[in-house]
């Protein structure tokens, strides 16, 4: 192992990582990134385990540098994890069509350091760690809620930011489950390629029949830009809805979760016994493209920035409720509704 070369790469990588976290403070770098793409700005908002990517990047290079001097065997594990991280980040940025110059630079440093650390006898260890890291980052990479601008003085007292009025959002009855006069209304913003949406969907399938007649469930599409098949899948679910199978088709999408090309979307339609020709025509003509885009605009109007996001009787639910959490919140809302009628 070339210890000095790895140390130099770590130093360069850590510097780039720190710079990526504060590049907006330096006009030259901000202009460079803006000219290249908006990827730098978007990745600046990404977090993993609650930490910004630039912090994790700097910590990674510091840890790698320490390992090559004090515990060389650990360098293989660290580099393997770094390769998986960079692979998932690259996949995300490609899907978003928003390359980030800092991410590209650090990706190069990670690959070069791996080349210096690599030994043939470590191949399977490095590959296993890279795959594990890839999966974990894919599950955990998120974007934080943007902070509201700080307002001081008289403006802070005179112009508080209004809460979004969820009740004013347009509703398509085809994507609503439950009676219009139900005492509890839940609005769900979701993405068919979102791992968190898949997990919470299992709870939702239990909750909806449990409170049948007492709850109105409104589904709104919010396909994220980082998920290349999500918007197309949302169109396909609506095409299935034309034949009365929206909710059943939705279950298949969440179960599949991964890549959802048109061939697979059509296989799902056949699996549900839909008219293949009508479904195919609906999908190929982008019948619901505008409707999905309108739903994304509804999410923006409601200041939704992540999936899944839920509103219960107009109130935003922080985080992602568990099955017991849903039941507690709904029971509480039912009690409040009952008390108001007395």
């Amino acid at each position: 192992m070339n210890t000095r070369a790895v140390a130099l790469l770590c130093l360069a990588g850590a510097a780039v990582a720190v710079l990526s976290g504060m590049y907006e403070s330096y006009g030259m770098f901000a202009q460079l990134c803006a000219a290249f793409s908006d990827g730098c700005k978007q990745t600046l908002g990404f977090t993993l385990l609650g930490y910004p990517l630039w912090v994790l990047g700097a910590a990674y290079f510091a840890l790698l540098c320490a390992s090559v001097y004090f515990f060389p065997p650990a360098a293989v594990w660290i580099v393997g994890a770094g390769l998986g991280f960079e692979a998932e980040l690259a996949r995300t940025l490609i899907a978003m069509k928003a390359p980030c110059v800092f991410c590209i630079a650090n990706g190069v440093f990670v690959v070069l350091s791996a080349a210096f650390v690599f030994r043939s006898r470590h191949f399977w260890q490095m590959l296993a760690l890279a795959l594990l890291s890839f999966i974990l980052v894919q599950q955990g990479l998120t974007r934080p809620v943007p902070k509201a601008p700080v307002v001081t003085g008289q403006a802070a007292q005179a112009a508080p930011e209004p809460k979004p009025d969820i009740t004013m959002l347009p509703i398509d009855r085809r994507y609503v489950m439950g009676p219009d006069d139900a005492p509890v209304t839940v609005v769900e913003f979701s993405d068919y390629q979102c791992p968190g949406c898949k997990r919470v969907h299992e709870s939702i399938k239990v909750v909806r029949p449990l409170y049948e007649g007492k709850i109105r469930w409104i589904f709104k599409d919010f396909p994220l830009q980082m998920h290349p098949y999500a918007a197309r899948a949302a169109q396909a679910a609506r095409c299935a809805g034309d034949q009365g199978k929206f909710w059943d088709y939705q279950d298949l999408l969440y179960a599949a979760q991964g890549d959802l090309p048109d061939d697979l979307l059509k296989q799902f339609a056949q699996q549900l016994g839909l008219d293949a020709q009508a479904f195919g025509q609906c999908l190929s003509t982008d019948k619901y493209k505008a409707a999905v885009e309108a739903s994304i605009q509804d999410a923006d109007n409601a200041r939704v920035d992540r999936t899944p996001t839920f509103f219960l009787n107009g109130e935003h639910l922080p985080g992602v409720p568990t099955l017991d959490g849903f039941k507690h919140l709904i029971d509480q809302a039912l009690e409040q509704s009952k008390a108001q009628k007395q």
Side-chain angles (χ1 to χ4, degrees):
M1 182 189 303
N2 191 327
T3 303
R4 181 174 295 180
V6 175
L8 289 174
L9 288 169
C10 289
L11 181 62
V16 170
V18 171
L19 184 59
S20 70
M22 54 185 64
Y23 80 94
E24 290 184 323
S25 302
Y26 300 92
M28 180 181 68
F29 292 110
Q31 291 174 9
L32 171 65
C33 292
F36 193 64
S37 80
D38 65 346
C40 299
K41 186 174 183 180
Q42 293 194 44
T43 54
L44 188 62
F46 284 4
T47 61
L48 182 64
L49 303 176
Y51 294 97
L53 294 192
W54 71 269
V55 172
L56 294 177
Y60 165 83
F61 285 111
L63 187 61
L64 178 58
C65 186
S67 72
V68 297
Y69 280 105
F70 302 110
F71 190 55
V76 175
W77 310 335
I78 297 169
V79 166
L83 289 172
F85 176 93
E86 290 296 336
E88 169 54 22
L89 183 58
R91 188 199 66 82
T92 299
L93 294 177
I94 290 171
M96 294 171 59
K97 298 180 180 178
C100 164
V101 290
F102 295 112
C103 299
I104 293 171
N106 266 345
V108 171
F109 293 141
V110 169
V111 171
L112 289 176
S113 61
F116 284 112
V117 171
F118 177 76
R119 296 292 182 272
S120 58
R121 65 180 182 274
H122 298 146
F123 173 77
W124 293 110
Q125 293 179 23
M126 191 176 289
L127 179 61
L129 285 163
L131 289 174
L132 179 61
S133 175
F134 181 88
I135 294 169
L136 292 177
V137 173
Q138 187 178 55
Q139 297 291 319
L141 191 64
T142 59
R143 294 179 295 175
V145 177
K147 295 181 179 179
V150 177
V151 183
T152 58
Q154 294 181 349
Q157 299 176 355
E161 188 176 2
K163 279 175 53 178
D165 189 353
I166 301 300
T167 62
M168 297 301 292
L169 294 178
I171 298 172
D172 191 323
R173 196 67 187 80
R174 291 173 294 181
Y175 317 120
V176 177
M177 187 180 291
D180 291 340
D181 61 350
V184 177
T185 295
V186 176
V187 181
E188 173 191 3
F189 288 89
S190 190
D191 173 317
Y192 293 116
Q193 282 194 284
C194 157
C197 300
K198 177 181 180 178
R199 288 192 294 270
V200 77
H201 187 67
E202 296 304 311
S203 298
I204 292 170
K205 288 193 295 183
V206 176
V207 166
R208 289 191 300 221
L210 189 63
Y211 292 94
E212 186 174 0
K214 301 177 182 179
I215 189 171
R216 181 175 65 147
W217 199 280
I218 302 172
F219 182 85
K220 304 288 285 185
D221 287 304
F222 186 36
L224 301 179
Q225 191 179 12
M226 70 172 66
H227 295 148
Y229 295 97
R232 191 68 168 167
Q235 292 184 51
R238 291 171 182 250
C239 289
D242 286 350
Q243 301 183 49
K245 293 290 185 179
F246 173 78
W247 303 103
D248 299 296
Y249 195 91
Q250 187 179 78
D251 291 342
L252 294 179
L253 289 173
Y254 282 124
Q257 182 84 124
D259 291 349
L260 299 168
D262 280 11
D263 288 346
L264 185 57
L265 298 177
K266 292 175 182 178
Q267 286 180 27
F268 291 158
Q270 293 177 354
Q271 189 173 333
L272 292 174
L274 304 183
D275 183 323
Q277 184 176 357
F279 180 88
Q281 184 176 8
C282 174
L283 194 60
S284 63
T285 58
D286 290 331
K287 178 179 178 180
Y288 287 109
K289 182 178 180 181
V292 172
E293 291 173 349
S295 187
I296 294 172
Q297 184 59 53
D298 291 341
D300 290 341
N301 293 341
R303 295 204 289 276
V304 173
D305 81 316
R306 64 181 62 194
T307 56
T309 291
F310 299 93
F311 293 85
L312 192 151
N313 284 351
E315 295 296 322
H316 175 256
L317 300 184
V320 181
T322 61
L323 174 58
D324 290 338
F326 268 126
K327 290 163 67 175
H328 172 74
L329 292 167
I330 293 171
D331 287 340
Q332 193 176 53
L334 289 172
E335 288 296 325
Q336 291 176 353
S337 175
K338 184 177 178 181
Q340 290 173 358
K341 290 180 180 179
Q342 291 178 350

